[in-house]
Amino acid sequence: MTEVVGSGTKSAEDMTRRQAGEAMRRILDGDPDPTTLGAFWLANRWKHNTAEELAAFTDEMCDRVEYAEPDADPVDCGANYDGKGRTAILGVAAGVVAAGAGTPVVVHSGDRVPTQKRDAYKHVFDELGVATELTPRDSADMVDATGVGFYYQPAFNPTVDDLFDRRDRMGVRTFVNTVETLANPAGASVHLGSFYHLAFAKKVVETFERSTFHDPDRVIMFQGMEGYDDIRPGYTKVADWSADGSFEDYEIETAAYGMDFDEADLEVDDVAGDSARLTREVVVGDRTDHWADAVALNAAFRIYAGGDADSLDAGLDAARAAISDGSAAAVLDDLRAF
């Protein structure tokens, strides 16, 4: 199969679904020689995977994921596991605020995942004193008890976690960095994710559509800061798909919501520590500046994605109300006590 995809950027062939599934199965079984595995990963990187290939990779991975579904149906937030290095992670605060407004949220990540090995969801929760190294069943219980759940990759997706050393030696991202974010360990009906380019966001939407394992009601992907699921200031491209087959792409403009800040205003020195501090300050209402605006908009997007608001404007009103009436702060207290 390396011969199929590795002949060059112009002459490489796409794999059939059967071939891609067999390749992923062998990788997860630990069969390939390390040199062969590296060649295969790199060849796929320069070839660019099709949605059919990504769906096959995802389905093989999901066959080995330990799923634990909460009673609630949360919005599944699958940000890039290798983290952020410049700007604050807003998704923890946004998830807490969304939960305070009545929209349960699930996030998941590993711990210093290659290639960047930077701060991810886990590290912000750790700084907040929230339990992270949980069994999948405990994570599901966390959703029902607090409105927010964190699922830890080594616990729910151990076969992908076992690839850590091989991925670390690659030096570049592979398709594993994409498909691991699509595990959806809580079995949520709505997936919210982010990638660097709109064309790839559309491809991931199509991946969900072609997956035989997943059957979502809605998939929303957008161009987030540093490839993470944080809406960027200015213009953010969005790809929005529903199970009825409808698809649209559009732009979010922060200025349209009366917000005047840019990406540099969201940079921090200590991503995990500062993100945790800002989470506390925003959800308890101690901040009314651009940080509060950024969190509220990201929470609004989760509320809107979950179907609990019919527009971002309505979601924004609900997010701000959850902060002002103490509901968001109560969720954070519940998380820390769980």
Side-chain angles (χ1 to χ4, degrees):
M1 282 177 272
T2 302
E3 293 176 355
V4 172
V5 299
S7 61
T9 54
K10 294 183 178 180
S11 59
E13 298 177 34
D14 295 326
M15 288 177 285
T16 65
R17 188 182 189 91
R18 184 189 63 79
Q19 287 175 318
E22 175 69 12
M24 190 64 165
R25 190 155 53 249
R26 293 183 186 184
I27 291 169
L28 295 176
D29 285 341
D31 288 346
D33 177 87
T35 303
T36 304
L37 178 58
F40 182 74
W41 273 342
L42 193 58
N44 276 274
R45 181 179 171 88
W46 69 51
K47 180 190 81 72
H48 300 304
N49 288 117
T50 65
E52 188 75 10
E53 291 168 339
L54 291 172
F57 297 152
T58 300
D59 288 346
E60 287 294 334
M61 174 192 71
C62 289
D63 277 341
R64 304 175 189 229
V65 167
E66 182 179 343
Y67 283 87
E69 297 187 10
D71 293 332
D73 184 11
V75 175
D76 172 68
C77 297
N80 284 334
Y81 280 19
D82 63 351
K84 295 176 77 174
R86 294 184 295 103
T87 57
I89 293 172
L90 305 175
V92 173
V96 168
V97 172
T103 300
V105 172
V106 157
V107 298
H108 39 98
S109 79
D111 190 359
R112 311 294 177 193
V113 170
T115 55
Q116 294 189 135
K117 294 193 286 187
R118 289 176 172 168
D119 293 322
Y121 273 126
K122 179 186 190 304
H123 309 108
V124 180
F125 279 117
D126 286 342
E127 291 285 341
L128 286 167
V130 176
T132 56
E133 297 184 15
L134 303 169
T135 67
R137 186 65 259 165
D138 285 339
S139 296
D141 291 343
M142 176 187 273
V143 180
D144 289 327
T146 72
V148 177
F150 175 78
Y151 284 70
Y152 186 40
Q153 185 187 45
F156 73 83
N157 199 357
T159 53
V160 168
D161 183 62
D162 288 345
L163 295 172
F164 183 99
D165 289 341
R166 296 263 61 85
R167 295 170 66 187
D168 197 25
R169 292 172 184 270
M170 281 296 297
V172 294
R173 283 189 172 109
T174 71
F175 61 74
V176 179
N177 289 81
T178 298
V179 300
E180 67 185 349
T181 68
L182 310 183
N184 188 14
S189 61
V190 176
H191 174 80
L192 183 151
S194 173
F195 286 92
Y196 287 99
H197 306 293
L198 179 62
F200 199 77
K202 291 178 178 178
K203 186 181 293 186
V204 172
V205 168
E206 189 177 354
T207 297
F208 271 105
E209 196 171 17
R210 294 181 178 222
S211 168
T212 59
F213 191 94
H214 290 307
D215 186 25
D217 293 336
R218 191 178 191 184
V219 177
I220 301 184
M221 306 289 298
F222 62 86
Q223 288 179 301
M225 290 187 295
E226 299 186 67
Y228 222 71
D229 58 355
D230 295 327
I231 295 171
R232 64 177 66 190
Y235 290 93
T236 295
K237 295 279 190 178
V238 180
D240 191 341
W241 173 88
S242 296
D244 61 7
S246 63
F247 176 87
E248 61 178 329
D249 61 88
Y250 50 89
E251 292 181 342
I252 297 172
E253 185 179 3
T254 49
Y257 302 96
M259 300 178 185
D260 182 21
F261 57 92
D262 56 33
E263 191 164 328
D265 294 320
L266 301 178
E267 292 181 357
V268 291
D269 295 325
D270 176 3
V271 172
D274 288 339
S275 297
R277 173 179 55 80
L278 291 162
T279 294
R280 286 190 296 266
E281 292 171 355
V282 168
V283 301
V284 301
D286 286 348
R287 301 193 78 105
T288 57
D289 56 5
H290 67 283
W291 289 108
D293 285 341
V295 169
L297 183 60
N298 278 277
F301 201 81
R302 285 150 175 77
I303 296 166
Y304 171 67
D308 295 318
D310 57 9
S311 67
L312 277 178
D313 284 305
L316 198 55
D317 289 340
R320 286 174 168 154
I323 294 173
S324 64
D325 68 12
S327 299
V331 170
L332 183 57
D333 288 341
D334 290 343
L335 274 170
R336 298 180 70 182
F338 180 81

